[in-house]
Amino acid sequence: MPTNSGAYGENDATDNKSTGSTDVNEMVTNAAAGSANAGSTDETLNAHVKGGNTGNGSDGKTGKGKKKRWIWASVAAIVVVALVAAFVVIRNNQKASIAPAQVHTADSVTVGLKLAPTNLDIRNQSGSSLDQVLVGNVYEGLVARDSNNKVVPGLAKSWEKNADGTSYTFHLNRGMNFSNGDKLDASDVAWSINELIAKHYHDSESLMNFKAVTATDADTVRLDLTAPYANLLWELACRPGLVFDKNANYDMKTQAIGSGPYTVAKFVPNDSITLKANPKYWGVHKAVTPIIVLRYFGDDNAAVNALKSGDVQVLAPVTENLAEPFVKDSEHYRVAAGDDTDKFVLAMNSKGAKTSDLRVRQAIRYAIDHKQLIASRGGADKVLGGPIPSLDPGYQDLTGLYPHNVDKAKTLMKEAGYTPDHPLELRLTYANTYGTELGDQLRSQLKPIGIDLKVNVVEFSTWLQDVLKNKDYDLSLVDHNESHDFSQWTQDTYYYNYSNQKVKDYYNQAMAASSDSQRDALLAKAARVVSEDAPADWLFNYRITTAMKNGVSSFPLNLNQTLLPLYNVRYMTPVK
């Protein structure tokens, strides 16, 4: 395993050069560089230098007058070259001394976010907003994940597993400590995971096949399983692998004592969190910006106005359609999209009276124009033809299974007994958190193939009761944002009402795989079967649009709604 001390193996940094703008750091470097050549380009002076030290008169003898004039000309040339060179050196020194003073690195950066945590108790409180802020910034895990959702070293610098994949040995970094000064060693790691299991803290069930964890010495931890589990390391990069101070006594709802590059200086529930650089941080990811303020906006327009006014320097996310003014004002702002694992799933009740017919489900998939849906949202999202997004293991491009084909959809519907003149009535039930636009678009797209779609937008509590619990629906719409969540397609009792033994077998084999490549190949097979069965249509893979002031650098783009490493974020502004 590679060695990489810190919470994150890499940061999904903002790359201004890729958009044609110039990073402030690059501007300073270029300004300080100056001219590389001080040589004269005057052809007359060059000719004299090349002409030698004698000249021929008309009488064929040495011309002393010409030689004297040549000597003075040469002296003059040398003086001019020296003066030019001196001027260039002085000019470059002036540039080198004043250029860095032309920009200022801010002592704080304010970031506008959307989902606010009600408390900081990451062991008991659900919600991705806590992962977003605390994981990696304040609390660190035994291992971590990078901007491509891959496992990288964290508190453990390396690890190995035994031949049958039932025992992992983790080798910890040395010299680690918590923000209160307490030493962090293997005993804290073992205690944290044992507490997770014993007290059933949030996500404890994700450590499948867990048997025991022990500190074999101060720098080594062994974790044993009852059977192989291919996703173990990734799960340990999330909440189950977080390490807490076994000796600390504090209120986890309002305080946090971790080992990361930041500490929580202030927490205002549902409003803001102020992070302060941890002066006792042990690793290589020391905070660049002393203060990071996270402000939460429930209203999109208020968030946009905050960026316009300068109250925040970053918005993550910003609704793409509301980002247009920032896109147009590239002199002051940068807008970019990053990948995520959100899947907007149009579920089709596999045991429904009308949707149990495979032909109907297939027709719906052919009828949907995914590109049109994405374009209406601003164009950043990606087409997704199956249940695994590009940042998850087992991804493959399945968009070719059901390409947009209205004629084929009509043929299938006719075989099922329905036409535009004799339509099939279906109910689309989904929570009002998603608005009405998607429902209206789907109604319009399905009408030409002989489906009369009744859109029923309800309260989330109603959706939980009617759809999730009672499975009383034809079609439903949900943003499934969890990573590594393919197992839902193996659960017969889940609201999809979908069951396929081949899918279950592939998945179980994948979770017992001895290598990541074997796991990924089996998951890809399972995902293809699910997509072919059409228990759902995957409308799009949501991508996160982030808007920021020019001068902000190293703000993560990928996964920033659940993974937001802030240690390298900075804001550089010109000095007026």
Side-chain angles (χ1 to χ4, degrees):
M1 284 297 304
T3 299
N4 180 24
S5 303
Y8 295 94
E10 66 174 271
N11 189 18
D12 179 27
T14 300
D15 181 4
N16 289 333
K17 287 184 284 186
S18 65
T19 61
S21 60
T22 305
D23 189 85
V24 176
N25 290 319
E26 185 180 359
M27 292 169 62
V28 173
T29 302
N30 291 342
S35 173
N37 300 306
S40 171
T41 57
D42 188 312
E43 292 182 0
T44 304
L45 291 177
N46 286 338
H48 278 294
V49 172
K50 293 177 182 178
N53 59 1
T54 60
N56 295 326
S58 58
D59 55 2
K61 297 181 180 180
T62 301
K64 293 184 179 179
K66 291 184 178 179
K67 181 177 180 180
K68 199 170 186 177
R69 286 194 298 272
W70 180 89
I71 291 173
W72 282 112
S74 297
V75 170
I78 293 171
V79 171
V80 171
V81 170
L83 288 173
V84 170
F87 173 77
V88 170
V89 170
I90 293 170
R91 185 169 178 266
N92 286 346
N93 287 339
Q94 288 177 334
K95 284 188 175 183
S97 63
I98 67 173
Q102 292 176 345
V103 294
H104 168 69
T105 301
D107 292 331
S108 67
V109 175
T110 302
V111 180
L113 302 177
K114 194 171 184 67
L115 298 176
T118 56
N119 68 66
L120 300 179
D121 189 356
I122 199 165
R123 292 188 299 188
N124 292 297
Q125 182 66 42
S126 62
S128 61
S129 60
L130 282 181
D131 303 74
Q132 180 185 37
V133 174
L134 297 180
V135 177
N137 292 314
V138 178
Y139 295 115
E140 294 181 298
L142 186 57
V143 293
R145 55 187 177 128
D146 64 14
S147 60
N148 292 314
N149 212 20
K150 304 296 184 184
V151 175
V152 295
L155 297 176
K157 62 183 179 181
S158 63
W159 56 87
E160 65 266 356
K161 63 180 178 179
N162 65 355
D164 67 359
T166 58
S167 183
Y168 289 71
T169 301
F170 297 90
H171 305 283
L172 305 184
N173 292 286
R174 294 185 176 182
M176 298 187 296
N177 54 267
F178 293 100
S179 60
N180 61 358
D182 288 356
K183 181 180 179 180
L184 190 166
D185 60 20
S187 64
D188 295 290
V189 177
W191 176 82
S192 297
I193 296 177
N194 281 324
E195 285 282 290
L196 172 85
I197 300 299
K199 297 185 177 179
H200 304 287
Y201 289 139
H202 189 73
D203 282 352
S204 61
E205 70 284 352
S206 65
L207 286 190
M208 291 175 56
N209 306 333
F210 176 82
K211 181 179 180 181
V213 59
T214 55
T216 59
D217 61 42
D219 302 317
T220 312
V221 174
R222 191 182 75 242
L223 194 154
D224 297 316
L225 304 174
T226 58
Y229 179 42
N231 280 348
L232 173 69
L233 290 175
W234 189 87
E235 295 294 351
L236 289 174
C238 303
R239 290 198 196 191
L242 295 181
V243 176
F244 304 94
D245 185 353
K246 66 181 185 300
N247 298 317
N249 183 20
Y250 59 101
D251 183 358
M252 289 194 71
K253 290 185 178 181
T254 59
Q255 299 170 303
I257 295 178
S259 60
Y262 281 100
T263 63
V264 175
K266 185 179 181 181
F267 170 55
V268 181
N270 299 307
D271 180 79
S272 65
I273 296 177
T274 301
L275 300 178
K276 184 178 181 180
N278 176 9
K280 298 178 181 178
Y281 176 59
W282 63 273
V284 298
H285 293 152
K286 185 177 177 63
V288 171
T289 300
I291 298 290
I292 300 283
V293 179
L294 307 171
R295 289 184 55 191
Y296 295 93
F297 296 91
D299 180 79
D300 290 341
N301 289 312
V304 167
N305 289 334
L307 182 58
K308 288 179 178 178
S309 67
D311 288 344
V312 303
Q313 287 78 56
V314 184
L315 280 186
V318 58
T319 303
E320 195 171 355
N321 289 331
L322 291 179
E324 189 62 26
F326 305 117
V327 173
K328 292 179 178 179
D329 188 6
S330 59
E331 182 181 353
H332 298 100
Y333 301 96
R334 178 173 182 254
V335 178
D339 291 332
D340 208 332
T341 59
D342 288 58
K343 305 158 289 290
F344 271 68
V345 180
L346 179 68
M348 298 183 251
N349 193 338
S350 293
K351 293 183 179 179
K354 302 171 183 178
T355 48
S356 58
D357 190 328
L358 175 61
R359 295 169 299 185
V360 171
R361 301 199 306 271
Q362 290 177 324
I364 291 172
R365 294 205 63 186
Y366 280 120
I368 294 174
D369 186 345
H370 302 91
K371 292 182 179 179
Q372 188 273 328
L373 294 179
I374 291 171
S376 71
R377 292 169 50 84
D381 302 322
K382 295 195 301 187
V383 177
L384 181 64
I388 298 180
S390 60
L391 291 182
D392 274 357
Y395 169 76
Q396 61 178 324
D397 185 354
L398 297 175
T399 55
L401 291 179
Y402 292 94
H404 181 50
N405 190 327
V406 174
D407 290 338
K408 196 161 189 175
K410 286 181 177 179
T411 300
L412 286 165
M413 288 299 293
K414 187 174 182 180
E415 290 176 4
Y418 304 99
T419 66
D421 294 329
H422 178 63
L424 169 66
E425 184 176 304
L426 294 177
R427 294 171 299 150
L428 170 60
T429 306
Y430 65 94
N432 56 11
T433 52
Y434 302 115
T436 61
E437 184 177 348
L438 277 173
D440 293 339
Q441 290 172 308
L442 290 170
R443 181 197 296 117
S444 176
Q445 290 189 6
L446 296 181
K447 184 177 181 179
I449 70 167
I451 292 179
D452 182 10
L453 192 65
K454 305 298 183 183
V455 179
N456 187 23
V457 181
V458 299
E459 295 290 333
F460 184 62
S461 58
T462 302
W463 182 90
L464 289 173
Q465 182 68 32
D466 293 350
V467 178
L468 187 65
K469 183 178 180 179
N470 297 333
K471 305 180 185 65
D472 180 17
Y473 75 102
D474 296 326
L475 307 179
S476 189
L477 172 64
V478 180
D479 172 15
H480 285 276
N481 68 347
E482 302 88 352
S483 178
H484 288 61
D485 64 352
F486 182 83
S487 63
Q488 63 188 329
W489 297 102
T490 68
Q491 300 169 12
D492 294 353
T493 59
Y494 202 49
Y495 79 98
Y496 299 137
N497 266 332
Y498 172 72
S499 179
N500 187 307
Q501 189 59 46
K502 185 182 290 187
V503 172
K504 297 175 189 176
D505 291 343
Y506 280 142
Y507 180 75
N508 291 333
Q509 293 169 26
M511 293 302 98
S514 59
S515 68
D516 288 351
S517 59
Q518 184 183 15
R519 175 201 62 189
D520 295 355
L522 288 163
L523 286 174
K525 289 182 178 180
R528 177 173 287 274
V529 174
V530 172
S531 185
E532 290 171 344
D533 287 346
D537 184 84
W538 294 268
L539 299 180
F540 48 83
N541 178 194
Y542 167 69
R543 299 185 77 227
I544 312 156
T545 299
T546 299
M548 65 197 83
K549 293 276 291 182
N550 284 344
V552 173
S553 64
S554 296
F555 190 86
L557 299 178
N558 285 359
L559 297 166
N560 67 27
Q561 299 305 286
T562 56
L563 182 71
L564 191 65
L566 295 167
Y567 69 90
N568 206 30
V569 173
R570 72 184 70 205
Y571 179 43
M572 299 183 73
T573 59
V575 174
K576 296 180 180 179

